[in-house]
Amino acid sequence: MSNVCQKINYIQAQANLDEFCNQVILSREPVIIEREGSENVALIAADELISMKETLYLLSSPENATRIFAALEEAESGTLKPQTLDELLEELENDEED
């Protein structure tokens, strides 16, 4: 997702809402609706919003965030060996005991 969002005014949004909804779904990029005299709003795909909220929730715990980032670093390092489901479950049980 890029840092630059398309901005449209409220009248454009009203006149072309279906078109902008389709655009947001296809591009996965939000559209900012600028409202004169009121706060702007964003048109965003529902699953993108749900994903962002889940990510924020997971990262809201410093301990959980540390574990997630450590796991990402480990995964990106390319040093992980494949595991069976049984091996993974055993590893998780050992972590819970510690």
Side-chain angles (χ1 to χ4, degrees), residues 43-89:
L43 182 61
I44 184 171
D47 60 341
E48 293 284 343
L49 177 61
I50 291 166
S51 177
M52 287 190 291
K53 289 184 77 163
E54 287 173 350
T55 300
L56 287 172
Y57 173 76
L58 291 172
L59 296 177
S60 66
S61 159
E63 183 180 309
N64 201 40
T66 300
R67 290 184 70 172
I68 289 170
F69 287 119
L72 282 172
E73 285 180 16
E74 188 177 6
E76 290 173 349
S77 73
T79 59
L80 289 175
K81 69 174 185 73
Q83 290 180 296
T84 66
L85 180 57
D86 289 336
E87 290 170 332
L88 182 59
L89 290 172

Side-chain angles (χ1 to χ4, degrees), residues 33-41:
I33 302 171
E34 297 178 323
R35 302 182 314 151
E36 195 172 317
S38 296
E39 286 189 53
N40 296 342
V41 296

Side-chain angles (χ1 to χ4, degrees), residues 16-24:
N16 302 294
L17 184 59
D18 192 52
E19 176 185 329
F20 287 115
C21 288
N22 290 334
Q23 176 185 323
V24 165

